[in-house]
Amino acid sequence: MNTLAKDLNTAARLSVAPMMDWTDRHCRYLHRLLSRETLLYTEMVTAPALVRGGAVHLLDFNEEEHPVALQLGGSDPAELAQAAKLSEERGYDEVNLNCGCPSDRVQSGTFGAVLMRQPTLVADCVKAMQDAVSVEVTVKCRIGVDDQDPHEVLPAFLEEVSATGCNRFTIHARKAWLQGLSPKENRDIPPLDYDLVHAMKARFPELHLSLNGGVTSLAEAQVHLDRGLDGVMIGRSAYHQPADILCAADPQIYGTGEVTDPVTVVHQMLPYIENHVSAGGKLGQVTRHMLGLFAGKPGARQWRRILSENAHKPGAGPDLVVEALAAVTGAAEAAERQAV
């Protein structure tokens, strides 16, 4: 395991969900500055893209991101084993198999949530990856799909897959409806069943189980941890209000470190942004992940407006971020004066 890797069971007490088009390397770099401890996940990368397509650039990441896990999509054990090996060679701390994504594109590739119907195949995939790498192989799943009974399907799934030696699962506490609901609707419409996930922890106390779905604050996450779950994974709230979720994560969830300051984090991002732009990258590729950094705070609207309207312009760089930050700090100072 990478020498920078931390105890992943501890890190997984709080994690940021893998989110397509969102949790790229720039997003993860920002999140790591906000929290030193939280486990970060990549966007899903398909095994065929790596093995058949040779798209190994999709594995690029920054050393500062550790602990960081790669999420793979696929259903061919041999191909997943090759992809897992590539990820280990690149230095990832964990490889996670996607058994929860409900998109049409994923279904057509016979992976994602549709794999909830094939626990034996999932076990074969996990075993093949375990045989290929020394890093931990984990699974993210749903409680079931379509007309399956989650109370029957989920424990059977966990039992069969964990028999491989896989002992860490993240469970999205909703069914996935593969027919009739869009991927977006599948994130909201199927009802949450937190109690079922907690029941799985009682039934499989030896497994490390994290809950995903609908959690929007550290306080909510702490409730599930206090009830006995091993971890909580937060998705959209961690992306759209990253400071609210991650700034206090280290002291509140891990009992270490201090609350981070988003203003300080912006300053820490400037050298990263300079390097990215100097290498030919676009400012907006980084700042699009920073738009929610001051959500709910004075100056948040000006921050978003300045970056959104100007980051795409030729020559845009760190100076624009400094300008946007000045609007935030100015608004904060004005609010303090009014409060006196």
Side-chain angles (χ1 to χ4, degrees):
M1 183 175 292
N2 189 290
T3 56
L4 293 176
K6 302 185 180 182
D7 178 346
L8 291 179
N9 279 352
T10 299
R13 282 178 60 79
L14 183 70
S15 56
V16 178
M19 292 176 282
M20 293 297 291
D21 301 321
W22 289 2
T23 50
D24 64 17
R25 58 188 299 188
H26 307 307
C27 174
R28 298 191 304 269
Y29 190 90
L30 170 69
H31 287 178
R32 179 56 68 223
L33 291 176
L34 295 168
S35 167
R36 300 306 309 169
E37 306 295 333
T38 304
L39 180 58
L40 303 179
Y41 282 82
T42 68
E43 307 170 84
M44 183 187 68
V45 178
T46 69
L50 295 176
V51 177
R52 285 182 250 161
V56 291
H57 66 278
L58 296 174
L59 299 179
D60 291 345
F61 72 101
N62 298 280
E63 284 297 312
E64 292 85 354
E65 294 174 33
H66 292 289
V68 59
L70 175 76
Q71 186 182 68
L72 286 175
S75 60
D76 180 89
E79 198 164 56
L80 281 164
Q82 288 180 264
K85 188 65 177 174
L86 289 170
S87 72
E88 181 180 47
E89 291 169 354
R90 289 299 180 100
Y92 282 94
D93 303 307
E94 170 194 331
V95 180
N96 178 265
L97 179 62
N98 183 325
C99 297
C101 182
S103 79
D104 294 339
R105 181 161 57 93
V106 169
Q107 289 182 58
S108 65
T110 321
F111 53 91
V114 71
L115 286 175
M116 295 300 298
R117 295 179 179 147
Q118 301 182 68
T120 301
L121 176 58
V122 174
D124 290 343
C125 291
V126 168
K127 183 64 167 63
M129 289 190 285
Q130 289 171 330
D131 289 344
V133 300
S134 59
V135 296
E136 188 170 7
V137 177
T138 66
V139 171
K140 186 173 188 289
C141 66
R142 291 274 181 149
I143 62 174
V145 296
D146 297 335
D147 56 358
Q148 289 181 328
D149 181 351
H151 292 81
E152 295 178 1
V153 168
L154 185 58
F157 180 91
L158 293 175
E159 184 169 9
E160 183 159 3
V161 178
S162 66
T164 65
C166 175
N167 59 18
R168 186 146 56 84
F169 295 80
T170 300
I171 304 170
H172 187 149
R174 285 186 175 95
K175 267 190 178 183
W177 287 94
L178 303 180
Q179 304 294 329
L181 291 183
S182 69
K184 182 178 185 300
E185 290 169 331
N186 262 302
R187 292 194 295 266
D188 297 303
I189 293 178
L192 288 159
D193 193 344
Y194 291 153
D195 287 342
L196 177 59
V197 181
H198 284 276
M200 292 303 97
K201 181 59 186 177
R203 182 163 176 170
F204 302 99
E206 73 283 3
L207 297 182
H208 185 293
L209 299 184
S210 292
L211 177 146
N212 174 229
V215 178
T216 61
S217 70
L218 283 184
E220 289 177 59
Q222 192 63 59
V223 168
H224 292 293
L225 294 171
D226 290 344
R227 283 184 62 187
L229 285 178
D230 301 293
V232 175
M233 175 180 279
I234 302 181
R236 284 168 288 169
S237 292
Y239 185 84
H240 291 301
Q241 297 96 35
D244 291 347
I245 301 298
L246 297 175
C247 280
D250 293 0
Q252 289 190 24
I253 302 297
Y254 301 94
T256 186
E258 299 179 353
V259 176
T260 54
D261 174 19
V263 173
T264 300
V265 167
V266 172
H267 284 291
Q268 292 172 331
M269 285 293 296
L270 295 177
Y272 179 87
I273 290 170
E274 176 63 44
N275 289 337
H276 176 68
V277 172
S278 297
K282 303 296 185 184
L283 176 63
Q285 293 171 321
V286 179
T287 56
R288 71 187 184 96
H289 304 300
M290 301 171 67
L291 296 179
L293 203 48
F294 298 100
K297 304 293 192 300
R301 183 174 300 176
Q302 296 98 306
W303 166 262
R304 291 193 305 269
R305 178 182 57 77
I306 292 170
L307 293 180
S308 297
E309 293 179 359
N310 299 287
H312 66 283
K313 294 180 179 178
D319 289 349
L320 181 68
V321 180
V322 172
E323 177 188 340
L325 184 61
V328 172
T329 53
E333 291 167 359
E336 286 180 11
R337 287 194 297 270
Q338 287 182 348
V340 173

